[in-house]
Amino acid sequence: MAESIYSQGTKVWFEDKESGWIPGEVSFCSLLAQEDGTVELTFVNQRKKEITMKATLEDIARNSMKDTKQSLPPLCNAPEYDQVNDLTQLPYLNEPSILHVIRNRYSTHKQLYTYSGIVLVAINPFTEVQIYGQDVIQMYAGAAGKKRDEIDLDPHLFTIAEEAYRAMQRDSRDQTIIVSGESGAGKTESAKYIMRYMASMKSDVSNLIHEEAASSVEHQVLATNPILEAFGNAKTSRNDNSSRFGKYIQILFDSNSTIVGARIRTYLLERSRISFQQRSERNYHIFYQLCQGVASLPDSERAEFGLDGLDSDLTDGKEFRYLSSSSSSFKIENVDDAANFSATRQALSIVGIDSGKQLSIFRLLAGILHLGNIDIQHRRDTKDAIIDHKSDIALGKAMELLGISAEDFARCTTKKVIDARGEKYESARTVDQAVGVRDGVAKFIYDSVFDWLVRRINESLGEGSVVEGEEDEDRTYEKSSRKGQRERTFIAVLDIYGFEHFQTNSFEQFCINYANEKLQQQFISHVFKLEQAEYALESIDWTTIDFSDNQPCIDLIEGRLGILALLDEESRLATGTDDSFIEKLNSQLKSPSSQHKGIFKDHLHGNEAFTIAHYAGDVSYNIDGFLEKNRGTVPDEHRDLLMGSTNAFLREVVEVGSNVGIDNHATSNVHHSSKAVSGRKPTQCSIFKSSLFTLTEALKQTSVHYIRCIKPNEDKTPWMFDGGLVAAQLRACGVLETIRITSEGYPTRWKYEEFVDRYGKSPTYR
């Protein structure tokens, strides 16, 4: 046994801090077992280091997939498997062999995609690659109905898109493609190319008018990308085009598999980015597009916006606080904001937002920029805030654009109204409080504009508005008569923020990572269920694996006395503060008897932050601003000012934002039911929790396909592969878990012909 597996010259893997894994080989293997029943093995790794180990014959036979203190080094596969398309075809399924194949395909052969069973692993190239053109689309569409191993095509995003399309046709069932991965892994681009593929699909219809209508819808579907990117994407420290919201885009098909419409659901737009960005980051793209593209606007509009002359001089964003808080470069290398502004305007026109409405949008955006420049000082010898409404130029310009009295806004911002048993009186705000209110108004207006855009896009794509009060918001819609078609099925693309772990993590990262926990749980359950169903189909003598999942972390976050419940409780107290919130967390969740021990961890600054052991690693969250962001509201007096504005478009978007809810993006019926149950305005995290529940329930009703995007290095360098970084992502996102359960059932996956070819002619095995 020992000689047949770990004989002299056998290639193995050793764990390595620099590269993740490095190769080695057996240099000596004893022929006889020692007195203690073990066999002595000597290895030499790539760095010429000699390692001697003892193992039982049982250890050798088991050959566990990952190196632990109780196991021998994992075995290497033969060189002919270095370019395998599907990782489950590897004779030895172990982490280093998987990493080696992905590295070889990416760095050496410039192959971005590799199958891992039902999962497609996608590596970000950090450069343009010419593999997404119409000719490539036709190649993969031409392989319709064939299995992967029956076509001579490399793994690709389009394979997954084609499989989803054909499965929808064959089974008449809704499909979802989940695109996941860390920030900067390439999720947004992947989702964009999948949508392009879907929009290129044509059915054989003879009605020319019908074909032209379908083509128009496809054109509009593609036009949503530049709009959502402009208003929802921003430069972060890890990604120049990071989605700062989640989106679930359903492309609707009729009984002839022709596109008849689409609808978009969005989740948790990162509102805090409006007033503050981390170092080396930017605000939302649309602000820079507007400043750089203002030259294309009529002279009268340029003067009205207060942006006149900035198109040639603005280089660092210092003119506006909201564009300069990060001290980063105003421009992104190889990105033309002025050209992108033209593309955004063209896309807005395609989805039915005319030039007049576009100028109304830009007027509000300019107003937001000027809001940030309002000068808030404190009175002499006091901490009370004061705004000089007569001489503050930024205040005057902002209020002119927003259609609000400068004097009224200054008063409401520096004074708060307190209702004490029916009697109302004013109390002075501090400078910090007044700044928080000013920024809160800017965030609310922008969020409302974003909600309005999503609603208008959905109406343009033929789906009308959600019928409020209906139980199933994803299936009940007022159909547009101009399309003349009702959907039969849909293919959805879920592009949601990846797991985030920055130097400073706040409320937004907490919500983002909570969403990733929910999707990770769905992934594990779905994949493991499918895999074990295959074993049952093959009549394998199989004991169902009770695999560990991330339920303890989800319980910590959303349990009855979990973080969300405690956050909401504290947010609804008039005396609640970030400090009282962290005290409550520590007292409730840190006790020795707590069921969350090991998940809710101690932090060096326990009164300023808390740490959660997520499936993808430990993350510490700074509690500064948690309650304010969770409340997510503007004072009633400011809301009244906005609703009383002389700017009709501002009133329209604020009404939409108020109806949709603070983060949208939960359904209308969830929003209203939350009010009905609690009697209070729903908090941002409660709406987000409800929207995630709706999303996960919707996913259960569809056939799901998975694309796991991987970031190959932190420097965004083309074709550079950091083995340790990639291995960590493969572990975190569940790819290795998928391989692990696969190895339990089919540790060696050879076709019968391959098995006979290898062993049938050898006298040793006859």
Side-chain angles (χ1 to χ4, degrees), residues 151-193:
I151 59 177
D152 187 24
L153 292 173
D154 293 321
H156 201 290
L157 291 172
F158 295 160
T159 309
I160 305 300
E162 178 66 25
E163 288 176 353
Y165 184 76
R166 297 306 165 185
M168 178 195 70
Q169 285 187 315
R170 182 182 64 247
D171 305 328
S172 297
R173 187 180 180 191
D174 299 331
Q175 310 287 313
T176 295
I177 301 173
I178 297 180
V179 185
S180 60
E182 282 191 11
S183 178
K187 300 182 300 299
T188 297
E189 290 300 307
S190 296
K192 192 188 308 183
Y193 288 127

mmCIF file of all heavy atoms in Angstrom, residues 151-193:
data_model
loop_
_atom_site.group_PDB
_atom_site.id
_atom_site.type_symbol
_atom_site.label_atom_id
_atom_site.label_comp_id
_atom_site.label_asym_id
_atom_site.label_seq_id
_atom_site.Cartn_x
_atom_site.Cartn_y
_atom_site.Cartn_z
ATOM 1 N N ILE A 151 -18.393 19.828 -26.420
ATOM 2 C CA ILE A 151 -18.047 20.964 -27.268
ATOM 3 C C ILE A 151 -16.581 21.329 -27.060
ATOM 4 O O ILE A 151 -16.035 21.175 -25.977
ATOM 5 C CB ILE A 151 -18.941 22.184 -26.976
ATOM 6 C CG1 ILE A 151 -18.811 22.605 -25.505
ATOM 7 C CG2 ILE A 151 -20.388 21.879 -27.301
ATOM 8 C CD1 ILE A 151 -19.602 23.848 -25.152
ATOM 9 N N ASP A 152 -15.957 21.782 -28.122
ATOM 10 C CA ASP A 152 -14.542 22.142 -28.073
ATOM 11 C C ASP A 152 -14.412 23.644 -27.853
ATOM 12 O O ASP A 152 -13.870 24.370 -28.692
ATOM 13 C CB ASP A 152 -13.850 21.712 -29.367
ATOM 14 C CG ASP A 152 -12.338 21.923 -29.296
ATOM 15 O OD1 ASP A 152 -11.809 21.946 -28.175
ATOM 16 O OD2 ASP A 152 -11.714 22.075 -30.365
ATOM 17 N N LEU A 153 -14.941 24.114 -26.722
ATOM 18 C CA LEU A 153 -14.887 25.521 -26.375
ATOM 19 C C LEU A 153 -14.379 25.669 -24.950
ATOM 20 O O LEU A 153 -14.692 24.858 -24.080
ATOM 21 C CB LEU A 153 -16.283 26.163 -26.490
ATOM 22 C CG LEU A 153 -16.868 26.295 -27.900
ATOM 23 C CD1 LEU A 153 -18.311 26.774 -27.828
ATOM 24 C CD2 LEU A 153 -16.034 27.254 -28.751
ATOM 25 N N ASP A 154 -13.597 26.712 -24.735
ATOM 26 C CA ASP A 154 -13.075 26.952 -23.396
ATOM 27 C C ASP A 154 -14.198 27.351 -22.444
ATOM 28 O O ASP A 154 -15.221 27.898 -22.859
ATOM 29 C CB ASP A 154 -12.030 28.076 -23.432
ATOM 30 C CG ASP A 154 -10.774 27.681 -24.180
ATOM 31 O OD1 ASP A 154 -10.354 26.517 -24.029
ATOM 32 O OD2 ASP A 154 -10.224 28.528 -24.916
ATOM 33 N N PRO A 155 -14.023 27.096 -21.149
ATOM 34 C CA PRO A 155 -14.996 27.590 -20.165
ATOM 35 C C PRO A 155 -15.174 29.101 -20.317
ATOM 36 O O PRO A 155 -14.221 29.832 -20.615
ATOM 37 C CB PRO A 155 -14.350 27.238 -18.823
ATOM 38 C CG PRO A 155 -13.464 26.072 -19.120
ATOM 39 C CD PRO A 155 -12.942 26.326 -20.505
ATOM 40 N N HIS A 156 -16.389 29.567 -20.089
ATOM 41 C CA HIS A 156 -16.684 30.980 -20.346
ATOM 42 C C HIS A 156 -17.942 31.372 -19.581
ATOM 43 O O HIS A 156 -18.783 30.522 -19.240
ATOM 44 C CB HIS A 156 -16.900 31.189 -21.848
ATOM 45 C CG HIS A 156 -16.724 32.606 -22.309
ATOM 46 N ND1 HIS A 156 -17.618 33.617 -21.996
ATOM 47 C CD2 HIS A 156 -15.763 33.199 -23.087
ATOM 48 C CE1 HIS A 156 -17.209 34.751 -22.531
ATOM 49 N NE2 HIS A 156 -16.084 34.528 -23.201
ATOM 50 N N LEU A 157 -18.077 32.674 -19.320
ATOM 51 C CA LEU A 157 -19.335 33.197 -18.778
ATOM 52 C C LEU A 157 -20.512 32.816 -19.668
ATOM 53 O O LEU A 157 -21.613 32.524 -19.187
ATOM 54 C CB LEU A 157 -19.275 34.731 -18.702
ATOM 55 C CG LEU A 157 -18.351 35.389 -17.692
ATOM 56 C CD1 LEU A 157 -18.319 36.893 -17.950
ATOM 57 C CD2 LEU A 157 -18.808 35.113 -16.279
ATOM 58 N N PHE A 158 -20.255 32.820 -20.983
ATOM 59 C CA PHE A 158 -21.334 32.563 -21.928
ATOM 60 C C PHE A 158 -21.837 31.125 -21.834
ATOM 61 O O PHE A 158 -22.977 30.842 -22.209
ATOM 62 C CB PHE A 158 -20.879 32.870 -23.354
ATOM 63 C CG PHE A 158 -20.570 34.329 -23.592
ATOM 64 C CD1 PHE A 158 -19.775 34.729 -24.658
ATOM 65 C CD2 PHE A 158 -21.066 35.307 -22.743
ATOM 66 C CE1 PHE A 158 -19.497 36.069 -24.882
ATOM 67 C CE2 PHE A 158 -20.783 36.659 -22.951
ATOM 68 C CZ PHE A 158 -20.001 37.036 -24.030
ATOM 69 N N THR A 159 -20.991 30.202 -21.375
ATOM 70 C CA THR A 159 -21.458 28.827 -21.175
ATOM 71 C C THR A 159 -22.552 28.796 -20.116
ATOM 72 O O THR A 159 -23.586 28.134 -20.276
ATOM 73 C CB THR A 159 -20.299 27.922 -20.724
ATOM 74 O OG1 THR A 159 -19.200 28.076 -21.608
ATOM 75 C CG2 THR A 159 -20.736 26.467 -20.705
ATOM 76 N N ILE A 160 -22.319 29.502 -19.019
ATOM 77 C CA ILE A 160 -23.311 29.548 -17.949
ATOM 78 C C ILE A 160 -24.581 30.231 -18.435
ATOM 79 O O ILE A 160 -25.701 29.782 -18.156
ATOM 80 C CB ILE A 160 -22.736 30.293 -16.725
ATOM 81 C CG1 ILE A 160 -21.424 29.652 -16.273
ATOM 82 C CG2 ILE A 160 -23.752 30.328 -15.592
ATOM 83 C CD1 ILE A 160 -21.527 28.205 -15.875
ATOM 84 N N ALA A 161 -24.426 31.337 -19.170
ATOM 85 C CA ALA A 161 -25.587 32.039 -19.707
ATOM 86 C C ALA A 161 -26.379 31.146 -20.657
ATOM 87 O O ALA A 161 -27.614 31.099 -20.613
ATOM 88 C CB ALA A 161 -25.140 33.315 -20.427
ATOM 89 N N GLU A 162 -25.658 30.408 -21.507
ATOM 90 C CA GLU A 162 -26.319 29.514 -22.464
ATOM 91 C C GLU A 162 -27.038 28.378 -21.739
ATOM 92 O O GLU A 162 -28.169 28.013 -22.087
ATOM 93 C CB GLU A 162 -25.292 28.967 -23.450
ATOM 94 C CG GLU A 162 -25.839 27.982 -24.468
ATOM 95 C CD GLU A 162 -26.824 28.640 -25.434
ATOM 96 O OE1 GLU A 162 -26.746 29.865 -25.636
ATOM 97 O OE2 GLU A 162 -27.681 27.912 -25.980
ATOM 98 N N GLU A 163 -26.397 27.814 -20.724
ATOM 99 C CA GLU A 163 -27.032 26.738 -19.953
ATOM 100 C C GLU A 163 -28.304 27.233 -19.276
ATOM 101 O O GLU A 163 -29.313 26.523 -19.229
ATOM 102 C CB GLU A 163 -26.049 26.190 -18.915
ATOM 103 C CG GLU A 163 -24.919 25.369 -19.517
ATOM 104 C CD GLU A 163 -23.910 24.910 -18.482
ATOM 105 O OE1 GLU A 163 -24.013 25.338 -17.304
ATOM 106 O OE2 GLU A 163 -23.020 24.114 -18.842
ATOM 107 N N ALA A 164 -28.261 28.450 -18.741
ATOM 108 C CA ALA A 164 -29.456 29.009 -18.100
ATOM 109 C C ALA A 164 -30.572 29.216 -19.125
ATOM 110 O O ALA A 164 -31.744 28.919 -18.862
ATOM 111 C CB ALA A 164 -29.105 30.329 -17.409
ATOM 112 N N TYR A 165 -30.210 29.723 -20.298
ATOM 113 C CA TYR A 165 -31.201 29.989 -21.345
ATOM 114 C C TYR A 165 -31.857 28.695 -21.821
ATOM 115 O O TYR A 165 -33.086 28.608 -21.956
ATOM 116 C CB TYR A 165 -30.526 30.718 -22.500
ATOM 117 C CG TYR A 165 -31.459 31.135 -23.610
ATOM 118 C CD1 TYR A 165 -32.305 32.233 -23.456
ATOM 119 C CD2 TYR A 165 -31.489 30.444 -24.822
ATOM 120 C CE1 TYR A 165 -33.161 32.627 -24.483
ATOM 121 C CE2 TYR A 165 -32.337 30.831 -25.853
ATOM 122 C CZ TYR A 165 -33.176 31.922 -25.669
ATOM 123 O OH TYR A 165 -34.020 32.295 -26.685
ATOM 124 N N ARG A 166 -31.034 27.669 -22.067
ATOM 125 C CA ARG A 166 -31.588 26.396 -22.551
ATOM 126 C C ARG A 166 -32.385 25.689 -21.460
ATOM 127 O O ARG A 166 -33.394 25.034 -21.740
ATOM 128 C CB ARG A 166 -30.450 25.503 -23.052
ATOM 129 C CG ARG A 166 -29.692 26.080 -24.246
ATOM 130 C CD ARG A 166 -30.621 26.431 -25.397
ATOM 131 N NE ARG A 166 -29.957 27.295 -26.381
ATOM 132 C CZ ARG A 166 -30.573 27.836 -27.431
ATOM 133 N NH1 ARG A 166 -31.865 27.605 -27.620
ATOM 134 N NH2 ARG A 166 -29.912 28.624 -28.258
ATOM 135 N N ALA A 167 -31.955 25.813 -20.202
ATOM 136 C CA ALA A 167 -32.719 25.220 -19.099
ATOM 137 C C ALA A 167 -34.078 25.892 -18.968
ATOM 138 O O ALA A 167 -35.097 25.240 -18.693
ATOM 139 C CB ALA A 167 -31.937 25.340 -17.793
ATOM 140 N N MET A 168 -34.121 27.209 -19.172
ATOM 141 C CA MET A 168 -35.394 27.923 -19.135
ATOM 142 C C MET A 168 -36.312 27.437 -20.257
ATOM 143 O O MET A 168 -37.510 27.188 -20.034
ATOM 144 C CB MET A 168 -35.139 29.426 -19.285
ATOM 145 C CG MET A 168 -36.396 30.273 -19.299
ATOM 146 S SD MET A 168 -36.093 31.953 -19.904
ATOM 147 C CE MET A 168 -35.779 31.631 -21.657
ATOM 148 N N GLN A 169 -35.761 27.277 -21.454
ATOM 149 C CA GLN A 169 -36.559 26.783 -22.577
ATOM 150 C C GLN A 169 -37.056 25.362 -22.326
ATOM 151 O O GLN A 169 -38.221 25.038 -22.567
ATOM 152 C CB GLN A 169 -35.724 26.804 -23.860
ATOM 153 C CG GLN A 169 -35.518 28.178 -24.463
ATOM 154 C CD GLN A 169 -34.839 28.077 -25.816
ATOM 155 O OE1 GLN A 169 -33.861 27.334 -25.984
ATOM 156 N NE2 GLN A 169 -35.341 28.810 -26.798
ATOM 157 N N ARG A 170 -36.163 24.517 -21.843
ATOM 158 C CA ARG A 170 -36.482 23.104 -21.670
ATOM 159 C C ARG A 170 -37.486 22.857 -20.541
ATOM 160 O O ARG A 170 -38.441 22.082 -20.690
ATOM 161 C CB ARG A 170 -35.191 22.329 -21.381
ATOM 162 C CG ARG A 170 -35.386 20.826 -21.221
ATOM 163 C CD ARG A 170 -34.069 20.144 -20.881
ATOM 164 N NE ARG A 170 -33.546 20.569 -19.583
ATOM 165 C CZ ARG A 170 -32.434 21.285 -19.423
ATOM 166 N NH1 ARG A 170 -31.732 21.671 -20.484
ATOM 167 N NH2 ARG A 170 -32.019 21.635 -18.218
ATOM 168 N N ASP A 171 -37.265 23.522 -19.413
ATOM 169 C CA ASP A 171 -38.058 23.227 -18.215
ATOM 170 C C ASP A 171 -39.150 24.248 -17.936
ATOM 171 O O ASP A 171 -39.939 24.052 -17.005
ATOM 172 C CB ASP A 171 -37.134 23.149 -16.987
ATOM 173 C CG ASP A 171 -35.999 22.154 -17.175
ATOM 174 O OD1 ASP A 171 -36.217 21.148 -17.875
ATOM 175 O OD2 ASP A 171 -34.901 22.386 -16.624
ATOM 176 N N SER A 172 -39.161 25.337 -18.700
ATOM 177 C CA SER A 172 -40.117 26.432 -18.460
ATOM 178 C C SER A 172 -40.054 26.887 -17.005
ATOM 179 O O SER A 172 -41.081 27.104 -16.351
ATOM 180 C CB SER A 172 -41.546 25.991 -18.812
ATOM 181 O OG SER A 172 -41.644 25.693 -20.177
ATOM 182 N N ARG A 173 -38.849 27.014 -16.511
ATOM 183 C CA ARG A 173 -38.648 27.420 -15.126
ATOM 184 C C ARG A 173 -37.720 28.635 -15.061
ATOM 185 O O ARG A 173 -36.792 28.752 -15.857
ATOM 186 C CB ARG A 173 -38.044 26.267 -14.317
ATOM 187 C CG ARG A 173 -37.979 26.571 -12.826
ATOM 188 C CD ARG A 173 -37.391 25.447 -12.020
ATOM 189 N NE ARG A 173 -37.369 25.800 -10.605
ATOM 190 C CZ ARG A 173 -36.731 25.108 -9.661
ATOM 191 N NH1 ARG A 173 -36.069 24.017 -9.992
ATOM 192 N NH2 ARG A 173 -36.761 25.503 -8.406
ATOM 193 N N ASP A 174 -37.977 29.518 -14.108
ATOM 194 C CA ASP A 174 -37.136 30.695 -13.926
ATOM 195 C C ASP A 174 -35.727 30.284 -13.521
ATOM 196 O O ASP A 174 -35.524 29.293 -12.810
ATOM 197 C CB ASP A 174 -37.722 31.608 -12.846
ATOM 198 C CG ASP A 174 -39.108 32.112 -13.204
ATOM 199 O OD1 ASP A 174 -39.384 32.232 -14.409
ATOM 200 O OD2 ASP A 174 -39.905 32.362 -12.285
ATOM 201 N N GLN A 175 -34.754 31.090 -13.977
ATOM 202 C CA GLN A 175 -33.341 30.816 -13.720
ATOM 203 C C GLN A 175 -32.691 32.024 -13.043
ATOM 204 O O GLN A 175 -33.095 33.165 -13.289
ATOM 205 C CB GLN A 175 -32.591 30.539 -15.034
ATOM 206 C CG GLN A 175 -33.250 29.522 -15.941
ATOM 207 C CD GLN A 175 -33.119 28.102 -15.434
ATOM 208 O OE1 GLN A 175 -32.032 27.673 -15.047
ATOM 209 N NE2 GLN A 175 -34.225 27.370 -15.437
ATOM 210 N N THR A 176 -31.680 31.766 -12.212
ATOM 211 C CA THR A 176 -30.895 32.845 -11.619
ATOM 212 C C THR A 176 -29.413 32.527 -11.766
ATOM 213 O O THR A 176 -28.989 31.395 -11.498
ATOM 214 C CB THR A 176 -31.212 33.038 -10.123
ATOM 215 O OG1 THR A 176 -32.562 33.459 -9.974
ATOM 216 C CG2 THR A 176 -30.306 34.109 -9.514
ATOM 217 N N ILE A 177 -28.645 33.511 -12.199
ATOM 218 C CA ILE A 177 -27.184 33.404 -12.233
ATOM 219 C C ILE A 177 -26.651 34.301 -11.130
ATOM 220 O O ILE A 177 -26.820 35.525 -11.177
ATOM 221 C CB ILE A 177 -26.615 33.826 -13.594
ATOM 222 C CG1 ILE A 177 -27.190 32.943 -14.709
ATOM 223 C CG2 ILE A 177 -25.092 33.745 -13.586
ATOM 224 C CD1 ILE A 177 -26.805 33.400 -16.111
ATOM 225 N N ILE A 178 -26.034 33.703 -10.109
ATOM 226 C CA ILE A 178 -25.494 34.465 -8.990
ATOM 227 C C ILE A 178 -24.015 34.735 -9.249
ATOM 228 O O ILE A 178 -23.219 33.805 -9.394
ATOM 229 C CB ILE A 178 -25.666 33.712 -7.660
ATOM 230 C CG1 ILE A 178 -27.155 33.513 -7.346
ATOM 231 C CG2 ILE A 178 -24.987 34.470 -6.517
ATOM 232 C CD1 ILE A 178 -27.412 32.774 -6.042
ATOM 233 N N VAL A 179 -23.668 36.009 -9.337
ATOM 234 C CA VAL A 179 -22.284 36.428 -9.551
ATOM 235 C C VAL A 179 -21.769 36.973 -8.225
ATOM 236 O O VAL A 179 -22.246 37.993 -7.737
ATOM 237 C CB VAL A 179 -22.188 37.502 -10.645
ATOM 238 C CG1 VAL A 179 -20.731 37.835 -10.931
ATOM 239 C CG2 VAL A 179 -22.890 37.044 -11.917
ATOM 240 N N SER A 180 -20.805 36.290 -7.636
ATOM 241 C CA SER A 180 -20.345 36.689 -6.302
ATOM 242 C C SER A 180 -18.823 36.746 -6.261
ATOM 243 O O SER A 180 -18.141 36.309 -7.178
ATOM 244 C CB SER A 180 -20.863 35.704 -5.245
ATOM 245 O OG SER A 180 -20.385 34.397 -5.511
ATOM 246 N N GLY A 181 -18.308 37.286 -5.162
ATOM 247 C CA GLY A 181 -16.867 37.417 -4.996
ATOM 248 C C GLY A 181 -16.542 38.676 -4.225
ATOM 249 O O GLY A 181 -17.418 39.501 -3.933
ATOM 250 N N GLU A 182 -15.270 38.844 -3.893
ATOM 251 C CA GLU A 182 -14.832 40.012 -3.142
ATOM 252 C C GLU A 182 -14.941 41.284 -3.975
ATOM 253 O O GLU A 182 -15.064 41.246 -5.199
ATOM 254 C CB GLU A 182 -13.365 39.845 -2.697
ATOM 255 C CG GLU A 182 -13.166 38.944 -1.517
ATOM 256 C CD GLU A 182 -11.744 39.047 -0.966
ATOM 257 O OE1 GLU A 182 -11.005 39.963 -1.370
ATOM 258 O OE2 GLU A 182 -11.387 38.211 -0.120
ATOM 259 N N SER A 183 -14.870 42.415 -3.293
ATOM 260 C CA SER A 183 -14.811 43.692 -3.995
ATOM 261 C C SER A 183 -13.555 43.731 -4.860
ATOM 262 O O SER A 183 -12.459 43.439 -4.396
ATOM 263 C CB SER A 183 -14.782 44.840 -2.980
ATOM 264 O OG SER A 183 -14.689 46.085 -3.631
ATOM 265 N N GLY A 184 -13.715 44.064 -6.137
ATOM 266 C CA GLY A 184 -12.588 44.104 -7.059
ATOM 267 C C GLY A 184 -12.348 42.814 -7.801
ATOM 268 O O GLY A 184 -11.385 42.707 -8.562
ATOM 269 N N ALA A 185 -13.237 41.833 -7.618
ATOM 270 C CA ALA A 185 -13.041 40.536 -8.274
ATOM 271 C C ALA A 185 -13.607 40.500 -9.684
ATOM 272 O O ALA A 185 -13.373 39.539 -10.417
ATOM 273 C CB ALA A 185 -13.668 39.418 -7.434
ATOM 274 N N GLY A 186 -14.360 41.521 -10.069
ATOM 275 C CA GLY A 186 -14.874 41.581 -11.439
ATOM 276 C C GLY A 186 -16.334 41.202 -11.582
ATOM 277 O O GLY A 186 -16.779 40.855 -12.680
ATOM 278 N N LYS A 187 -17.115 41.309 -10.506
ATOM 279 C CA LYS A 187 -18.522 40.907 -10.558
ATOM 280 C C LYS A 187 -19.347 41.769 -11.506
ATOM 281 O O LYS A 187 -20.146 41.249 -12.293
ATOM 282 C CB LYS A 187 -19.137 40.973 -9.148
ATOM 283 C CG LYS A 187 -18.471 40.075 -8.130
ATOM 284 C CD LYS A 187 -19.161 40.154 -6.793
ATOM 285 C CE LYS A 187 -19.167 41.550 -6.206
ATOM 286 N NZ LYS A 187 -17.813 42.084 -5.961
ATOM 287 N N THR A 188 -19.159 43.086 -11.422
ATOM 288 C CA THR A 188 -19.968 43.997 -12.234
ATOM 289 C C THR A 188 -19.737 43.758 -13.723
ATOM 290 O O THR A 188 -20.693 43.713 -14.511
ATOM 291 C CB THR A 188 -19.652 45.457 -11.866
ATOM 292 O OG1 THR A 188 -20.012 45.683 -10.503
ATOM 293 C CG2 THR A 188 -20.424 46.421 -12.756
ATOM 294 N N GLU A 189 -18.480 43.605 -14.123
ATOM 295 C CA GLU A 189 -18.180 43.357 -15.532
ATOM 296 C C GLU A 189 -18.754 42.017 -15.977
ATOM 297 O O GLU A 189 -19.286 41.895 -17.085
ATOM 298 C CB GLU A 189 -16.670 43.393 -15.763
ATOM 299 C CG GLU A 189 -16.048 44.776 -15.636
ATOM 300 C CD GLU A 189 -16.619 45.762 -16.636
ATOM 301 O OE1 GLU A 189 -16.615 45.454 -17.847
ATOM 302 O OE2 GLU A 189 -17.086 46.834 -16.214
ATOM 303 N N SER A 190 -18.652 41.004 -15.118
ATOM 304 C CA SER A 190 -19.189 39.683 -15.462
ATOM 305 C C SER A 190 -20.695 39.759 -15.680
ATOM 306 O O SER A 190 -21.230 39.211 -16.653
ATOM 307 C CB SER A 190 -18.863 38.680 -14.353
ATOM 308 O OG SER A 190 -17.462 38.489 -14.233
ATOM 309 N N ALA A 191 -21.392 40.429 -14.773
ATOM 310 C CA ALA A 191 -22.843 40.569 -14.902
ATOM 311 C C ALA A 191 -23.214 41.319 -16.178
ATOM 312 O O ALA A 191 -24.195 40.995 -16.866
ATOM 313 C CB ALA A 191 -23.407 41.284 -13.674
ATOM 314 N N LYS A 192 -22.416 42.308 -16.512
ATOM 315 C CA LYS A 192 -22.671 43.113 -17.713
ATOM 316 C C LYS A 192 -22.572 42.246 -18.972
ATOM 317 O O LYS A 192 -23.415 42.338 -19.882
ATOM 318 C CB LYS A 192 -21.667 44.263 -17.765
ATOM 319 C CG LYS A 192 -21.988 45.340 -18.788
ATOM 320 C CD LYS A 192 -20.850 46.342 -18.929
ATOM 321 C CE LYS A 192 -20.418 46.908 -17.603
ATOM 322 N NZ LYS A 192 -19.352 47.938 -17.782
ATOM 323 N N TYR A 193 -21.544 41.388 -19.034
ATOM 324 C CA TYR A 193 -21.374 40.541 -20.211
ATOM 325 C C TYR A 193 -22.465 39.479 -20.306
ATOM 326 O O TYR A 193 -22.887 39.103 -21.405
ATOM 327 C CB TYR A 193 -19.988 39.890 -20.197
ATOM 328 C CG TYR A 193 -18.866 40.860 -20.486
ATOM 329 C CD1 TYR A 193 -17.772 40.969 -19.622
ATOM 330 C CD2 TYR A 193 -18.887 41.675 -21.613
ATOM 331 C CE1 TYR A 193 -16.737 41.869 -19.870
ATOM 332 C CE2 TYR A 193 -17.861 42.570 -21.875
ATOM 333 C CZ TYR A 193 -16.791 42.673 -21.000
ATOM 334 O OH TYR A 193 -15.786 43.567 -21.254
#
